[in-house]
Amino acid sequence: MKDAVRKSKWKGIITPIQGNVLLALSQFRLLSLSQMLRLSVGTSSKSYLRKQVSALMERQKPLVDCHRFTSPERTKGRVESLYFLSKYGARELMVEMGMQESEIKYPKKKNMFFKDYWHRRYTIDFEIHLNLWAKARGIEILFFDTYFDVTGNNRSSKNLRAKTRMPLDQTDYIIP
């Protein structure tokens, strides 16, 4: 990840840590600060990482956005916010890093419900651990689709489907 950032045109505009954050978000779609730290984005300080991410969010055209949650279950307390690329962040990666839109994962809609929080968080935790395990062993993961990765659209074609959808017969399916 770090080599790709060094080769970009971001010099002076986006720090290497911010570039690593953008690349990590493009791969995992949603990340908390603690997940970013696990991915070694260039700092081990949570407060410094928060400042770097805030700088990406406070631009005139923010490159990163965030879901902030308050738990409806008072006993669980606060949960970490989840950060994601904005459309401007995705565009920045396409222009500056030469990435294709199909390579960049980012939510097209901003809404996310708390009931999905833990499942998505643990799904992303698993993907992070799988990537770190594979990297340590020199294994390349060719693709990793989740239930919240979709194809198609609901507006014109009405063919929005989870990428992991598996048909069982003409009418039934499962989404692992």
Side-chain angles (χ1 to χ4, degrees):
M1 201 177 335
K2 292 176 187 169
D3 293 335
V5 172
R6 276 193 223 115
K7 294 176 186 172
S8 77
K9 300 175 190 174
W10 285 334
K11 295 175 188 149
I13 300 169
I14 293 176
T15 68
I17 291 171
Q18 291 171 347
N20 289 336
V21 166
L22 293 175
L23 290 171
L25 289 172
S26 75
Q27 180 179 355
F28 295 99
R29 182 185 311 260
L30 297 164
L31 290 171
S32 67
L33 291 176
S34 62
Q35 288 171 324
M36 289 181 211
L37 289 172
R38 232 176 293 135
L39 289 166
S40 301
V41 294
T43 182
S44 59
S45 167
K46 195 172 195 174
S47 62
Y48 186 68
L49 178 59
R50 184 177 290 111
K51 288 177 186 175
Q52 294 292 305
V53 173
S54 292
L56 293 169
M57 294 172 62
E58 293 167 358
R59 299 166 61 107
Q60 185 176 4
K61 293 181 178 180
L63 303 180
V64 172
D65 206 343
C66 162
H67 292 294
R68 290 183 176 83
F69 298 95
T70 52
S71 173
E73 304 165 27
R74 292 186 183 172
T75 57
K76 293 194 178 185
R78 294 188 64 196
V79 296
E80 276 191 276
S81 297
L82 295 177
Y83 298 90
F84 58 93
L85 286 176
S86 70
K87 65 181 178 181
Y88 302 113
R91 191 174 308 139
E92 186 78 15
L93 287 169
M94 287 185 273
V95 171
E96 298 299 335
M97 298 298 293
M99 295 175 74
Q100 300 297 313
E101 187 173 13
S102 60
E103 297 176 276
I104 302 170
K105 293 182 178 181
Y106 70 102
K108 308 303 186 269
K109 293 189 288 182
K110 286 187 176 185
N111 61 339
M112 185 176 149
F113 302 104
F114 183 77
K115 66 179 182 163
D116 297 334
Y117 179 87
W118 290 110
H119 194 262
R120 285 188 185 218
R121 173 83 189 251
Y122 293 145
T123 300
I124 294 165
D125 280 343
F126 173 79
E127 185 179 1
I128 289 169
H129 290 294
L130 178 65
N131 274 274
L132 294 174
W133 175 86
K135 184 177 180 181
R137 286 156 181 78
I139 299 169
E140 180 184 4
I141 297 175
L142 300 176
F143 70 93
F144 187 95
D145 291 328
T146 64
Y147 74 96
F148 46 86
D149 293 323
V150 295
T151 61
N153 65 64
N154 251 356
R155 288 191 176 180
S156 57
S157 303
K158 305 256 187 262
N159 64 349
L160 187 67
R161 301 281 184 265
K163 285 185 174 182
T164 59
R165 178 180 165 149
M166 296 174 15
L168 300 174
D169 58 32
Q170 294 294 336
T171 57
D172 291 329
Y173 59 89
I174 60 171
I175 301 175

